[in-house]
Amino acid sequence: MTAQMKLGAFLWATGHHIAAWRHPKVHVTAGIDIDHYIQLARTAEAAKFDMIFCEDAAGLREANVGIASQTSRSIGFEPISLLSALAVQTSRIGLVSTASTSYNEPYGLARTFLSLDHLSGGRAGWNLVTSASPIEAANFGSTGLKLHADRYERAREFAEVVTGLWHGKSSGHDGQSFSVRDPLDLPRSPQGAPVMVQAGASDVGRDLAARTADVVFTAAQTFEEAKAFYDDLKGRLAAYGREPDDIKIMPGVSPVVAETETEAREKHEELQALIPDDVGVALLSSYLSISDLWRYPIDGPLPELPESEGMKSRQALVVEQSRRDGLSIRQLARHFAGARGHWRIVGTPAQVADELQSRFEGGAADGFNVMPSYFPGELDAFATLVVPELQRRGLFRRDYEGRTLRDHLGLKRPA
Amino acid sequence: MDNGATMHLAVSPVPDTSPGTGLEFNRLASFVQRAEAAKLDMVLLADAAPTSGGESANKPMPFESTTLLAALATVTNGIGLVAAASTMAHQPYNLGRRVASLDIISHGRAGWNATMAQVPREAANFSRPEGFSADDFRRRSEEYIGIVQGLWRGWDRDALLFDKSGGRFHDPEKMHLLDHKGEFFSVRGPLNVARSPQDTPVLVLSGLSEPDLDIAARAADVILLESGPIEGANLRYDNLKRRIAACGRDPDSVKVLTNISLAADGRLTAAADRLEEQFHAKSCDGFNIQLPAQLPVIDEFADLVVPELRRRGLFRENYRGTTLRSHLGLVGGGEQ
Ligand SMILES: Cc1cc2nc3c(=O)[nH]c(=O)nc-3n(C[C@H](O)[C@H](O)[C@@H](O)COP(=O)(O)O)c2cc1C
């Protein structure tokens, strides 16, 4: 059998489009409705997705309360509790939650994910992030965000301790940031160890991923960007004694799909019409680590930006896109509001499948993290329209081959 | 009872210590469902982290308590679920947020059990090998608890508007920063989780030494005491209720429960007598029954002891509402 693509279902309350919550077909209380999430998880499992994926931030997403109140992003479930609930309401799909190395301790986090792994029978994964937001920092006693390099140094040590604990390493750890005495007091994982996912694509981020990650989640607009990232990361593995296939690279993709192209475009326009300009600009500026983008003429170009200490990789992506396509701040903001810089495809099931196939077969991705524009509609559309098309082409599984998340992803079981 | 007051009943499943019997989720879920069918107020979930500090510790739960609570919340719909979680293992923002989220998942049935006792092994695994002095730990615990409770109040009940056409998801006036800057923590808030269906999750405090009692009187919804000799127990209870009143709180707004361990051999009918005797001596508002996590044991408790308590008018027939606060007769959640 030829290789098949891996698919994640990135769940997020009302949807990934910033204005999704205003869409008439969207369940507006999604962020506080566990039954809604159980339904989404079952839809994704019925469609044989490899995993459910949840992002995270330990704080509000937007500093300006006036802007925040015009989005649905200020409230939602904490993802580890959410996935623990979903673990016993599903039986096969993988469950990946984001958690920060900046605001946790490795012993506690290793234990919590191992517990989720036991509750789910070996389907848990941890998406390692280093937290780029000063709003989060203020909830943890910091007066400001720690420097990018320092966050990654802490993350490296953190990951080393967590994997050591999961692999049953019994001796203690006494390092720069952490000290741990005992082994974990839970039995070994049903899948050897929970899956390590990483989101973070700067140079140091890629090195850390090459060292520790099983799956990498990334954002890319064009085929060339995706391919360059893919080749670069796979190329770094040998230095850590790993094979290219030991890591699955899964860029985000946010499809708007309908039976006809016209219908898909209309759906997309309907969502775009719901974005207030100030909300769009605020979202873009938070990812660029610039607080006063609104001072610049909205129909003018993006100004020169100081290098980010937050998300270096996303800043670079936006700057590159603005140059390449000659977009104004307004145009960039409206584009960014669709999926925060991730790849968007608007079209028919065959068109979406074509695009995914060409990135997959062109060696730019091992699979995709699917980011539905709004819920439940666009997840249903992907599950019922695109998945069968991918299956017909032999690009995606018709049934789960195993029980654990490592089985689904075709990852080795750690010794 | 003369004034119609009945006892509160919680249960703590104690892991089986016999070798080779892991406590898998389904067995634990059946245990909790049985406790729910008997209408017990709540289940207290111990955390797996070793709490006895010794090498002879009980075989631990194979699950971390907050993840376990979330899973149990989806397979039950009445019983309260309280997870033990330590102030060493989590940052206050993260813990406050986890429990707030659990409360929404369980539709208002969640609580947090914080122990006031410092566990040296925890300190050693959480980059604090030297731990804290007893006094520092006490001040830190009180500050921590205050932050968590403050975060739980960050959103007003009617803050969420869900106004699609007006583009107003929430009312900006009804979200409040905490802006806490204290001796051990500084936390800006608010939580990025909505307000609890029962206003705030229930706070259970345990592991109290004498100097901790005032903190408990100020902050707790439920105080868990170790069982002692019945003589003097009512004095301890009166003393605690006086301290609660001295903090300007209604003495009845804090429930004092006594831990009782019932043996697995089967003489559970005698237990009703023991509970009645202690309750009538006015030594507590109810009990936390520590039972081996085995179905025959909880079945026996539910089939023999609980009906006997009901016959004697000591325990209610049914839940009065849907939230843990309503089971405990505490204000909150708009149900009183
Ligand atoms: C695709 C992608 C998704 C991310 N998701 C999250 C997230 O959910 N929560 C978070 O705190 N950080 C997230 N991050 C941010 C990174 O973990 C990190 O905090 C930030 O420094 C970006 O790292 P980079 O410059 O190496 O890309 C994400 C980064 C990428 C590239």
Side-chain angles (χ1 to χ4, degrees):
Chain A
M1 196 180 63
T2 54
Q4 294 188 325
M5 60 175 72
K6 309 300 171 191
L7 291 178
F10 188 165
L11 303 189
W12 197 353
T14 50
H16 286 276
H17 193 286
I18 189 73
W21 73 274
R22 302 184 62 195
H23 190 278
K25 290 204 185 122
V26 164
H27 179 48
V28 73
T29 61
I32 51 173
D33 183 351
I34 187 67
D35 293 330
H36 165 81
Y37 271 97
I38 291 172
Q39 197 51 50
L40 297 182
R42 290 185 175 159
T43 300
E45 184 168 79
K48 319 298 179 195
F49 274 86
D50 291 79
M51 61 190 180
I52 283 164
F53 181 92
C54 291
E55 59 85 58
D56 194 41
L60 298 182
R61 306 304 203 292
E62 168 56 55
N64 179 310
V65 181
I67 299 279
S69 68
Q70 299 179 65
T71 76
S72 63
R73 306 196 314 152
S74 297
I75 54 131
F77 290 105
E78 182 276 330
I80 294 175
S81 51
L82 175 64
L83 290 184
S84 305
L86 297 182
V88 295
Q89 295 296 324
T90 56
S91 57
R92 299 298 275 274
I93 197 162
L95 304 161
V96 175
S97 173
T98 297
S100 171
T101 53
S102 296
Y103 308 122
N104 286 287
E105 282 278 321
Y107 192 89
L109 203 73
R111 225 174 134 245
T112 300
F113 274 102
L114 189 51
S115 181
L116 176 63
D117 210 27
H118 281 289
L119 284 170
S120 62
R123 296 183 284 129
W126 167 37
N127 176 37
L128 180 160
V129 300
T130 60
S131 294
S133 155
I135 309 175
E136 292 177 274
N139 289 325
F140 299 91
S142 317
T143 46
L145 192 63
K146 300 256 186 324
L147 294 177
H148 191 270
D150 296 344
R151 297 205 311 277
Y152 267 109
E153 180 46 34
R154 180 178 159 107
R156 193 199 52 73
E157 186 184 340
F158 197 116
E160 181 186 314
V161 179
V162 168
T163 44
L165 288 166
W166 282 343
H167 294 175
K169 196 168 144 267
S170 58
S171 61
H173 171 93
D174 192 3
Q176 191 66 34
S177 303
F178 310 107
S179 75
V180 172
R181 199 183 71 186
D182 302 315
L184 285 180
D185 52 351
L186 302 187
R188 187 82 192 263
S189 158
Q191 56 178 339
V195 170
M196 291 278 279
V197 183
Q198 196 189 313
S202 59
D203 192 55
V204 282
R206 293 176 196 206
D207 261 334
L208 181 60
R211 186 194 284 260
T212 57
D214 297 307
V215 174
V216 172
F217 173 42
T218 182
Q221 291 284 337
T222 63
F223 176 86
E224 290 69 30
E225 273 170 4
K227 174 80 179 153
F229 178 83
Y230 187 95
D231 290 342
D232 178 273
L233 188 52
K234 297 261 174 172
R236 291 179 195 232
L237 292 174
Y240 299 99
R242 305 179 71 195
E243 308 278 327
D245 207 37
D246 289 348
I247 221 169
K248 307 296 170 192
I249 298 177
M250 299 174 67
V253 60
S254 185
V256 179
V257 57
E259 300 277 11
T260 67
E261 194 176 329
T262 319
E263 236 182 294
R265 296 211 173 282
E266 278 166 9
K267 256 211 255 191
H268 181 243
E269 283 312 313
E270 203 183 344
L271 281 165
Q272 291 295 96
L274 296 171
I275 314 166
D277 271 334
D278 53 350
V279 169
V281 172
L283 180 72
L284 181 65
S285 31
S286 68
Y287 277 78
L288 293 174
S289 312
I290 172 172
S291 58
D292 58 354
L293 195 57
W294 54 271
R295 287 181 197 282
Y296 296 86
I298 192 164
D299 291 312
L302 204 61
E304 284 297 316
L305 300 170
E307 182 168 345
S308 172
E309 282 300 333
M311 293 180 69
K312 286 191 194 296
S313 61
R314 198 68 54 93
Q315 188 192 56
L317 178 145
V318 172
V319 170
E320 162 64 22
Q321 186 179 18
S322 83
R323 289 209 194 101
R324 186 180 60 234
D325 300 339
L327 300 180
S328 67
I329 291 177
R330 191 199 305 271
Q331 288 167 323
L332 267 180
R334 296 182 65 74
H335 184 81
F336 201 78
R340 306 183 300 286
H342 289 272
W343 183 31
R344 308 210 77 207
I345 312 176
V346 181
T348 64
Q351 287 170 329
V352 172
D354 284 347
E355 297 267 1
L356 299 180
Q357 180 166 7
S358 72
R359 285 204 189 183
F360 176 66
E361 290 180 345
D366 296 311
F368 302 94
N369 204 4
V370 179
M371 304 167 59
S373 301
Y374 63 86
F375 288 108
E378 285 304 287
L379 178 64
D380 291 341
F382 192 88
T384 57
L385 300 174
V386 181
V387 167
E389 180 63 28
L390 294 172
Q391 287 168 334
R392 259 193 299 280
R393 299 180 187 194
L395 290 166
F396 189 59
R397 72 168 67 81
R398 288 182 187 271
D399 202 356
Y400 291 109
E401 304 89 5
R403 284 264 153 207
T404 68
L405 178 54
R406 280 185 188 277
D407 291 340
H408 305 340
L409 292 169
L411 293 168
K412 289 184 199 124
R413 192 190 165 92
Chain B
M1 287 284 297
D2 36 352
N3 59 4
T6 54
M7 63 174 67
H8 295 286
L9 286 178
V11 66
S12 293
V14 179
D16 203 338
T17 48
S18 38
T21 51
L23 188 61
E24 73 280 13
F25 178 74
N26 288 342
R27 199 146 59 86
L28 199 56
S30 303
F31 180 98
V32 175
Q33 284 162 346
R34 195 66 187 89
E36 176 172 85
K39 314 292 180 198
L40 301 194
D41 291 29
M42 58 185 170
V43 174
L44 295 176
L45 304 167
D47 200 32
T51 49
S52 59
E55 267 51 51
S56 65
N58 277 350
K59 189 165 180 173
M61 289 271 200
F63 306 111
E64 180 276 339
S65 63
T66 64
T67 45
L68 178 60
L69 194 164
L72 288 170
T74 70
V75 297
T76 55
N77 51 48
I79 197 160
L81 300 163
V82 178
S86 102
T87 56
M88 283 290 216
H90 310 261
Q91 286 282 330
Y93 189 91
N94 291 341
L95 184 70
R97 179 170 177 240
R98 175 84 49 86
V99 178
S101 184
L102 291 170
D103 210 22
I104 294 173
I105 290 171
S106 65
H107 301 289
R109 297 183 287 128
W112 169 39
N113 178 12
T115 172
M116 298 293 291
Q118 184 172 202
V119 180
R121 287 187 66 172
E122 235 162 33
N125 289 324
F126 287 86
S127 308
R128 282 268 178 197
E130 71 291 1
F132 293 93
S133 74
D135 227 47
D136 283 356
F137 191 71
R138 185 171 304 111
R139 285 202 315 286
R140 183 181 178 277
S141 300
E142 183 167 24
E143 187 181 331
Y144 191 116
I145 288 164
I147 292 167
V148 168
Q149 290 186 318
L151 287 170
W152 286 342
R153 297 192 193 95
W155 293 82
D156 292 348
R157 256 189 229 186
D158 53 353
L160 302 182
L161 302 172
F162 303 120
D163 171 11
K164 285 185 179 184
S165 55
R168 297 185 317 150
F169 189 81
H170 73 82
D171 183 340
E173 306 282 308
K174 293 184 173 169
M175 182 197 90
H176 311 286
L177 295 185
L178 182 68
D179 259 335
H180 171 90
K181 288 193 178 59
E183 184 183 357
F184 296 91
F185 303 100
S186 83
V187 180
R188 184 143 183 274
L191 285 185
N192 53 355
V193 176
R195 189 186 186 87
S196 154
Q198 54 178 344
D199 287 339
T200 61
V202 168
L203 176 70
V204 179
L205 291 184
S206 63
L208 307 168
S209 68
E210 170 66 28
D212 299 326
L213 292 175
D214 283 321
I215 297 175
R218 280 196 285 275
D221 296 305
V222 174
I223 293 175
L224 262 189
L225 298 176
E226 294 309 315
S227 64
I230 195 157
E231 313 80 54
N234 61 335
L235 290 180
R236 180 174 74 165
Y237 178 76
D238 284 347
N239 172 291
L240 201 44
K241 291 281 174 165
R242 260 200 306 279
R243 288 183 200 236
I244 294 162
C247 302
R249 302 177 73 192
D250 174 358
D252 205 39
S253 69
V254 183
K255 303 300 175 185
V256 177
L257 305 190
T258 304
N259 273 327
I260 292 226
S261 169
L262 295 181
D265 69 41
R267 310 187 54 229
L268 284 175
T269 36
D273 292 340
R274 188 169 154 205
L275 298 181
E276 178 169 21
E277 189 192 359
Q278 293 204 17
F279 190 64
H280 276 157
K282 294 201 186 325
S283 68
C284 59
D285 299 309
F287 303 91
N288 173 41
I289 318 283
Q290 295 167 319
L291 283 184
Q294 296 166 359
L295 278 186
V297 181
I298 184 76
D299 280 345
E300 224 167 315
F301 183 75
D303 292 342
L304 300 176
V305 184
V306 174
E308 180 59 28
L309 293 172
R310 288 207 175 100
R311 252 192 303 283
R312 301 180 192 185
L314 290 166
F315 188 61
R316 56 174 163 59
E317 294 286 335
N318 216 327
Y319 292 126
R320 299 191 196 91
T322 59
T323 67
L324 176 53
R325 282 186 183 275
S326 69
H327 304 342
L328 291 165
L330 301 172
V331 293
E335 284 201 58
Q336 300 307 303

